[in-house]
Amino acid sequence: MSEQLKFIVEQLNREPFKKMFNLITFDSLEPMQLLQILNDALAEIDPKQAIDIREEMPEQTAKRMFTLLGMLKYKPPGGISEVSSFRQGLVIGSKPVVHPILHWLLQRIPELKKRAYLARFLVKLEVPAEFLQDDVIAETYHQYGELVETFKNIHKECEQLKSSGFSTAEIRRDIVTMEEEKDQLIKRVERLRKRVEAVSNHQRMLELARQLRVEKEREESLAHQKQEQKNQLFQAEQRVQRSQLQLKDLQQAAADAKPESLMKRLEEDIKFNSYMVSEKLPREVENMRKVVQYLQKVASEPAMGQAELRDLEEKIKETNSENNQLIEKRMVRNDPMDDKLSLFRQQAAIIVRKKESKVEELQEAREELAAVERELNMKNSQAQEQGGAELIRGDEFKRYVAKMRGKNSMYKKKRQEMAELNAEYGVLQRTEEILRERHTTGQQQLQSLEAQQGISGYSDTQEELERVSAIKSELDEMKGRTLDDISEMVKKLNSVIAEKKSALSPLIKDLRALRQQHAELAPEYEQKKAQYDNCAAGLESNRSKLEQEVRTLREEVAREESQYHYLNCMKEITESQIERAANQSIINQSMDLQVRRTALREKYITHTAEQDSLGKVRKTSSDHLWHITRSKSVLALSLVSGVNLVFVRSGGLWPLSESCQTVWSMRSLSRHIVPVLEQSL
């Protein structure tokens, strides 16, 4: 539980929540605050949930959270039996219910965001069956289902593109690179064009170069087509070879498909399996058991040193030498009867080894056949997934051939019927043309007779009258049907109105009673509302006063804290000064001259004496004017004598004008004039 709380607090302190909780403050939250934090986590998953739960009824909040958690497929810890207690705990903000939900949500925020996004479009609206009887609603609902399926396919393609490794940044970089290459190529083409324009007959050369490029492209395309045709020919030859091999296998299977051959094959399988079960596998199991026992014995023994290993090697050499001696003694005896038996033993051993090798080869061949069959099944499944047809063989192939023969005969029969129908259609078409020509001839003869009798257009007028009378009869019939429909509709509407009135009469009675009850409860509601408003206003005023007092006290506390820190700093400064003065007093009282020279008092006295002597020198220089000359050169010098400035030149002194006065600072004056004065003195 502590790990769960620690994880929740860490996640809430990060982006995008930034709650700045610790374990104590989070555990001491009120139920309403805990529900608000849960609602904030749900709002991070689904932005529609970003509301203040204080502005919402508790039942609506619980219903909204139940719906979203169900859509996110959250399962309560207690299972179905604890659903009622889970709902009650979520309504009241119980910690044992809210903490697991927060832990589950904060672990899966990206996944749940995606699920909430998809649920907005994939959760279908439930439309009652009686509404779907309407054609418009049914068609709209069908279009809605098609749009949902389209969204599924588009989202799946989008996810595949996202996971395919392509990124917009890389594509943009590629586009920028290609644009740069394009600009470089354009510049190169312009340079080449300018270079070529200087050559005579360049248009002819460009045309020939263009034709050469076209022919080279055509040559490349032809070479590509040739290679493709070679590949297709090679693939066709491979298919023919495979088909021939399959045909040969099928022919052999059909030739061997007899009871005797099947029994023989089954007997061979039984013999092989009995040999494997009775001889080979028990021998292999026994050998493996011996190896395991030997390895266990070796593992159970303690580790051997180099001396023990040398002893074992010597024993092995001795045993091998004894075996060689025994073999030599047996060969010396050379019993002829034993020689015959040894020959038979060798032959039997050779046969046994051959049998074992053949059995192993057969076993390997069977394993290879099983692997090939598994691969074939896998390829068939892949072909089926990609829309290909499954490979058929044996009896299925025979049934398929028989079916195709039947379809071929049916196709020939239908083709013959189509040919007969086409011939009959040609005859009928010719008959129609002949009848149309006869009708035209008869109309011409009738018009000539009408002209002879002086009643031209009589037949046309008669046909027009017949057509108008037919249209009038159709309109009269339509009007009659319309009147019948209108009367039937009026009857239906009256019956519907009567049914609605009979159905609404008890509701109207209930409404009257409810209106009377509302009129009775309205004054009481207004009174309670006024009391509530007064109480809320009083509490609000008290809260504002308390907030003002708290604000004042906080300001006072901050002021006192700043005063305390200031006094504390002044105290430390004073203590350091006292300590420094004590140290200087100790240095001054010291009898050692070397130590006393390091005192600040001695340094200040020495510095003061130096400044006094410098001040006397400067005072002496300010009371006199010195005539300074340089050989045939003009020297401009500004000396301060009281307040006046003078210009000193070889041969005389002149006062300076305001436009050419040069004011020297005290530092410059002391650096340039004082050395001259000292030399003169």
Side-chain angles (χ1 to χ4, degrees):
M1 193 68 179
S2 61
E3 295 294 332
Q4 187 183 73
L5 286 177
K6 192 180 295 183
F7 176 77
I8 294 172
V9 171
E10 288 177 358
Q11 294 297 322
L12 290 176
N13 290 338
R14 295 178 181 174
E15 291 284 348
F17 302 104
K18 293 184 179 180
K19 297 294 184 181
M20 304 304 292
F21 286 141
N22 54 32
L23 292 175
I24 297 173
T25 55
F26 180 74
D27 192 52
S28 60
L29 291 176
E30 297 295 330
M32 187 63 68
Q33 296 174 342
L34 200 59
L35 284 175
Q36 183 62 49
I37 290 172
L38 177 60
N39 189 80
D40 294 341
L42 293 174
E44 180 62 23
I45 294 170
D46 187 3
K48 293 182 180 179
Q49 310 297 323
I51 60 175
D52 191 351
I53 61 173
R54 293 177 295 182
E55 300 175 357
E56 191 179 27
M57 297 296 292
E59 293 80 6
Q60 295 178 356
T61 303
K63 183 178 179 182
R64 178 170 54 79
M65 289 183 178
F66 290 150
T67 305
L68 184 57
L69 289 174
M71 186 177 65
L72 297 177
K73 297 181 180 180
Y74 173 74
K75 295 181 181 179
I80 301 175
S81 60
E82 301 293 335
V83 172
S84 59
S85 60
F86 171 74
R87 291 181 177 177
Q88 186 177 1
L90 187 57
V91 171
I92 64 176
S94 177
K95 293 180 182 178
V97 175
V98 177
H99 287 176
I101 298 175
L102 279 173
H103 185 261
W104 186 79
L105 291 175
L106 295 174
Q107 280 181 329
R108 305 170 173 83
I109 283 181
E111 176 186 354
L112 297 178
K113 277 185 178 180
K114 183 178 178 181
R115 189 175 295 174
Y117 168 74
L118 293 176
R120 288 165 49 194
F121 305 101
L122 298 182
V123 176
K124 289 190 176 181
L125 300 174
E126 296 295 335
V127 180
E130 56 269 17
F131 290 158
L132 292 175
Q133 300 298 325
D134 191 356
D135 295 337
V136 178
I137 296 175
E139 184 178 358
T140 305
Y141 189 73
H142 180 66
Q143 292 177 359
Y144 168 68
E146 291 179 350
L147 291 174
V148 169
E149 295 296 328
T150 305
F151 174 77
K152 286 182 182 178
N153 297 329
I154 293 173
H155 179 72
K156 190 180 296 183
E157 292 177 0
C158 180
E159 291 296 325
Q160 290 177 356
L161 289 174
K162 286 181 179 179
S163 61
S164 62
F166 294 105
S167 63
T168 55
E170 293 179 357
I171 294 173
R172 288 195 184 99
R173 284 197 297 270
D174 294 340
I175 291 172
V176 171
T177 305
M178 288 189 287
E179 287 178 352
E180 292 176 355
E181 292 178 355
K182 179 183 175 183
D183 295 336
Q184 292 176 2
L185 289 173
I186 290 172
K187 291 179 181 178
R188 288 180 60 186
V189 169
E190 291 295 331
R191 287 198 300 269
L192 292 173
R193 183 174 295 169
K194 290 178 181 179
R195 191 182 300 172
V196 169
E197 286 177 355
V199 180
S200 60
N201 199 12
H202 65 277
Q203 291 292 338
R204 176 63 179 169
M205 294 175 68
L206 287 175
E207 186 66 26
L208 293 174
R210 189 179 297 109
Q211 292 179 3
L212 178 62
R213 179 177 54 80
V214 171
E215 292 298 329
K216 284 185 176 180
E217 290 178 355
R218 184 182 176 188
E219 182 182 2
E220 290 178 358
S221 64
L222 290 174
H224 184 65
Q225 291 178 3
K226 182 180 179 181
Q227 186 64 32
E228 287 182 353
Q229 290 178 358
K230 284 184 178 179
N231 293 333
Q232 292 176 1
L233 179 61
F234 179 70
Q235 293 174 2
E237 290 177 353
Q238 287 185 343
R239 285 198 296 270
V240 169
Q241 291 177 1
R242 286 197 297 270
S243 301
Q244 289 177 355
L245 292 174
Q246 291 177 1
L247 179 60
K248 190 180 293 183
D249 294 337
L250 291 172
Q251 289 176 355
Q252 290 178 358
D256 294 338
K258 296 179 181 179
E260 293 81 3
S261 60
L262 292 175
M263 288 296 294
K264 186 176 180 181
R265 194 178 303 165
L266 289 174
E267 287 177 356
E268 291 177 356
D269 292 340
I270 290 170
K271 287 180 181 179
F272 173 75
N273 292 329
S274 61
Y275 170 75
M276 292 289 293
V277 172
S278 61
E279 295 183 13
K280 191 173 187 303
L281 293 177
R283 192 182 307 115
E284 292 180 354
V285 170
E286 186 64 28
N287 293 332
M288 294 300 294
R289 189 179 291 113
K290 289 180 180 179
V291 172
V292 170
Q293 290 177 357
Y294 177 72
L295 293 175
Q296 289 177 353
K297 183 179 178 181
V298 171
S300 61
E301 290 181 355
M304 294 183 180
Q306 293 293 332
E308 294 177 350
L309 290 174
R310 283 196 294 271
D311 294 339
L312 287 175
E313 289 177 356
E314 290 177 357
K315 288 181 180 179
I316 291 169
K317 290 179 181 179
E318 292 176 358
T319 306
N320 289 331
S321 63
E322 290 178 359
N323 289 331
N324 293 329
Q325 291 175 3
L326 292 173
I327 291 170
E328 290 175 357
K329 289 180 181 179
R330 186 173 60 83
M331 292 175 66
V332 168
R333 285 200 305 244
N334 197 8
D335 191 356
M337 192 66 185
D338 291 336
D339 292 339
K340 293 180 181 179
L341 292 175
S342 63
L343 180 62
F344 291 125
R345 289 195 191 98
Q346 290 176 0
Q347 292 178 356
I350 292 169
I351 291 170
V352 169
R353 283 196 296 271
K354 286 183 179 180
K355 185 177 181 182
E356 291 177 353
S357 64
K358 294 299 180 184
V359 168
E360 290 177 356
E361 291 177 1
L362 180 60
Q363 186 69 19
E364 291 176 357
R366 287 192 173 185
E367 292 176 356
E368 185 178 358
L369 178 62
V372 171
E373 288 180 351
R374 285 195 299 271
E375 186 178 0
L376 179 61
N377 294 328
M378 184 175 66
K379 296 294 184 182
N380 287 332
S381 61
Q382 291 178 359
Q384 289 178 0
E385 290 176 358
Q386 295 176 359
E390 185 179 1
L391 185 63
I392 57 176
R393 60 182 69 184
D395 297 336
E396 294 181 359
F397 183 75
K398 292 179 181 179
R399 287 194 294 271
Y400 176 75
V401 171
K403 185 178 178 181
M404 291 302 295
R405 286 175 181 172
K407 287 185 177 181
N408 191 16
S409 61
M410 182 65 70
Y411 167 73
K412 291 179 179 179
K413 183 178 179 182
K414 295 296 182 182
R415 188 172 62 181
Q416 185 177 1
E417 291 178 359
M418 285 290 294
E420 293 175 356
L421 290 173
N422 288 329
E424 187 175 357
Y425 171 74
V427 172
L428 292 174
Q429 191 174 11
R430 179 59 182 164
T431 304
E432 182 184 5
E433 291 177 358
I434 293 170
L435 291 175
R436 188 175 287 112
E437 290 176 358
R438 289 181 181 179
H439 176 70
T440 304
T441 305
Q443 288 290 333
Q444 291 176 357
Q445 292 177 0
L446 180 62
Q447 289 176 1
S448 62
L449 288 174
E450 289 176 356
Q452 291 176 3
Q453 298 295 328
I455 52 172
S456 298
Y458 175 78
S459 59
D460 295 336
T461 305
Q462 185 68 25
E463 290 178 357
E464 186 68 24
L465 288 174
E466 290 177 355
R467 188 175 63 80
V468 170
S469 62
I471 292 171
K472 182 176 180 300
S473 62
E474 290 178 359
L475 290 174
D476 293 337
E477 186 178 358
M478 189 180 298
K479 287 180 181 179
R481 286 199 303 270
T482 305
L483 291 173
D484 294 338
D485 293 339
I486 291 171
S487 61
E488 186 68 24
M489 188 180 295
V490 169
K491 290 179 181 178
K492 287 182 180 180
L493 290 174
N494 290 329
S495 62
V496 169
I497 291 169
E499 290 177 358
K500 295 295 182 182
K501 284 183 178 179
S502 61
L504 290 173
S505 57
L507 297 176
I508 292 171
K509 292 179 181 179
D510 296 339
L511 180 62
R512 289 173 183 171
L514 291 173
R515 283 179 178 174
Q516 186 177 359
Q517 186 177 0
H518 176 267
E520 293 174 356
L521 293 175
E524 184 178 359
Y525 167 73
E526 294 295 335
Q527 183 181 0
K528 297 293 183 183
K529 185 178 179 182
Q531 293 177 0
Y532 170 76
D533 292 338
N534 293 329
C535 182
L539 292 175
E540 185 67 24
S541 63
N542 292 332
R543 186 178 67 82
S544 61
K545 289 178 181 179
L546 291 174
E547 286 180 353
Q548 184 65 28
E549 291 178 1
V550 169
R551 194 179 298 109
T552 305
L553 292 173
R554 284 181 177 174
E555 291 176 356
E556 186 176 355
V557 168
R559 190 165 53 252
E560 294 295 333
E561 284 182 355
S562 64
Q563 184 68 21
Y564 165 75
H565 290 305
Y566 173 73
L567 292 175
N568 195 11
C569 292
M570 293 301 295
K571 176 186 174 185
E572 291 179 358
I573 293 168
T574 305
E575 288 176 355
S576 65
Q577 289 177 353
I578 291 169
E579 184 179 357
R580 186 178 179 184
N583 293 331
Q584 292 296 322
S585 176
I586 292 169
I587 292 170
N588 291 329
Q589 294 174 4
S590 177
M591 301 301 293
D592 190 359
L593 294 176
Q594 197 69 21
V595 175
R596 290 178 64 183
R597 285 174 184 169
T598 60
L600 294 175
R601 183 169 174 269
E602 295 293 334
K603 292 181 180 180
Y604 289 152
I605 291 170
T606 306
H607 188 65
T608 304
E610 291 176 357
Q611 294 297 323
D612 289 340
S613 63
L614 184 61
K616 290 177 182 180
V617 171
R618 290 178 180 176
K619 185 177 180 181
T620 303
S621 64
S622 65
D623 294 335
H624 299 83
L625 290 174
W626 298 92
H627 186 198
I628 303 171
T629 60
R630 187 174 295 175
S631 58
K632 292 184 181 181
S633 61
V634 178
L635 175 63
L637 183 64
S638 294
L639 295 176
V640 178
S641 178
V643 183
N644 299 321
L645 295 173
V646 295
F647 179 76
V648 181
R649 188 180 181 187
S650 62
L653 300 173
W654 288 272
L656 289 172
S657 62
E658 294 182 357
S659 61
C660 62
Q661 286 182 359
T662 304
V663 180
W664 288 22
S665 65
M666 291 298 296
R667 182 179 299 174
S668 300
L669 189 66
S670 63
R671 188 169 63 249
H672 295 281
I673 300 176
V674 171
V676 176
L677 293 176
E678 288 177 352
Q679 290 176 4
S680 300
L681 290 174

